[in-house]
Amino acid sequence: MTHADWLRAVAQHQSVAHGAGHDHVPGSPHLRHAALHSRVVTACRSVVADVLRERGSCRVLEIGAGHGVFTDHLAALGAEVWVTEMSRASVDVLRSRFSGYERVHVVHDEDGTGVARGPEVDVVLYISVLHHIPDYLGAVTAVLDRVAPGGAFVSFQDPLWYPRRSRTSLLADRGAYLLWRLTRGNLRRGVASMVRRARGAYDLNNPSDTVEYHVVRDGVDEQALMAVLEPRFATVDLHRYWSTQARWLQWLGERIAPANTFGVVATGGRP
């Protein structure tokens, strides 16, 4: 699966499925579970509020904003926000939702990486996005050139790199995924997806194999991401946690399951 193949497939799937009326919540733990949602909101609001206190204004680049759930919080703080989406359908939703907000600018980002040219910003946000991007390290490296000195980088809700995780962590993660599929009435889809992943035979016509690109290259390498960020920021904090779709499995996993997901907050951008 080449990058170009992936790009065309993802753009097609998202344009069909992610328009008005699409509900991101059931398959998005950071939207579905209050504790996870609060974790992301708190991190975003904290870095933006810090910039606002220091400078009196804050310019935010939110990459892959979906339907703007987190954009609302940024705009409420008084930040000027550029939100990007590769899905034309999602762009239409965002433009309608924020039509009355002069400080929210919606950008159609055709390759989904957010590295297209634009203004210098104080904060970059990737919320549940990096695992969709084939060359996520290259995308982050490029977009950091747009971060002003003293700025920040926030990314949350990406799967930890599989080869570094324990067998227990991987089994708990996959078991929770299949149980969630069972409660949704589409266990067969989940099993078929896992079989294709085990065989390395991906179907460009199936959103499970294209949109969730992390399965192609074993998650997101959190240490490699830290290595990109550390030379550029004074402080880089890694947050590991448990995340899954089903509510009761989230409650149970938070208490007994090993971490399978991570977030990064980097502050004090260097010139």
Side-chain angles (χ1 to χ4, degrees):
M1 186 188 299
T2 68
H3 188 159
D5 292 336
W6 168 86
L7 180 61
R8 285 191 293 269
V10 172
Q12 180 180 3
H13 291 314
Q14 291 193 347
S15 291
V16 171
H18 289 183
H22 175 71
D23 186 2
H24 290 275
V25 172
S28 304
H30 64 295
L31 300 180
R32 183 168 190 171
H33 307 313
L36 295 188
H37 186 74
S38 177
R39 180 195 297 265
V40 178
V41 170
T42 298
C44 294
R45 289 179 63 92
S46 177
V47 296
V48 170
D50 285 346
V51 172
L52 285 168
R53 278 193 297 269
E54 293 175 6
R55 305 180 181 181
S57 64
C58 182
R59 301 155 298 177
V60 180
L61 173 61
E62 183 186 3
I63 298 167
H67 288 180
V69 172
F70 297 101
T71 313
D72 277 330
H73 294 278
L74 308 175
L77 285 173
E80 185 165 14
V81 190
W82 284 262
V83 292
T84 78
E85 256 298 336
M86 71 178 300
S87 163
R88 174 63 72 178
S90 290
V91 166
D92 291 341
V93 171
L94 287 166
R95 285 178 175 162
S96 175
R97 180 172 185 169
F98 296 104
S99 61
Y101 291 71
E102 294 183 357
R103 299 177 64 82
V104 175
H105 317 282
V106 180
V107 179
H108 184 209
D109 176 28
E110 295 186 1
D111 70 0
T113 65
V115 301
R117 290 185 179 182
E120 186 178 65
V121 296
D122 302 297
V123 178
V124 170
L125 304 179
Y126 286 95
I127 308 302
S128 191
V129 173
L130 289 183
H131 61 275
H132 297 302
I133 302 174
D135 183 15
Y136 58 96
L137 295 177
V140 169
T141 300
V143 84
L144 290 181
D145 289 337
R146 294 177 60 181
V147 179
F153 173 97
V154 177
S155 178
F156 268 90
Q157 196 60 35
D158 288 301
L160 289 162
W161 197 47
Y162 302 170
R164 200 174 290 120
R165 289 166 56 185
S166 68
R167 182 176 179 83
T168 300
S169 172
L170 291 170
L171 288 174
D173 195 1
R174 291 165 184 170
Y177 169 75
L178 290 176
L179 284 172
W180 173 69
R181 283 291 180 196
L182 179 63
T183 63
R184 299 279 294 173
N186 52 19
L187 177 61
R188 180 178 296 180
R189 173 182 169 183
V191 171
S193 177
M194 291 183 69
V195 169
R196 290 195 305 275
R197 294 172 187 181
R199 294 171 54 201
Y202 302 103
D203 180 4
L204 288 176
N205 295 316
N206 192 314
S208 296
D209 291 355
T210 52
V211 176
E212 300 300 320
Y213 197 87
H214 64 89
V215 302
V216 179
R217 44 123 165 92
D218 293 338
V220 175
D221 189 336
E222 69 280 9
Q223 291 186 8
L225 179 60
M226 295 276 285
V228 170
L229 297 172
E230 284 171 342
R232 306 289 294 268
F233 294 91
T235 303
V236 182
D237 294 322
L238 179 66
H239 306 264
R240 295 183 179 91
Y241 57 97
W242 168 261
S243 172
T244 193
Q245 289 94 339
R247 285 192 174 92
W248 68 274
L249 287 173
Q250 179 64 30
W251 180 90
L252 184 64
E254 286 174 355
R255 287 155 178 78
I256 65 172
N260 62 355
T261 308
F262 76 97
V264 174
V265 179
T267 57
R270 297 189 171 102

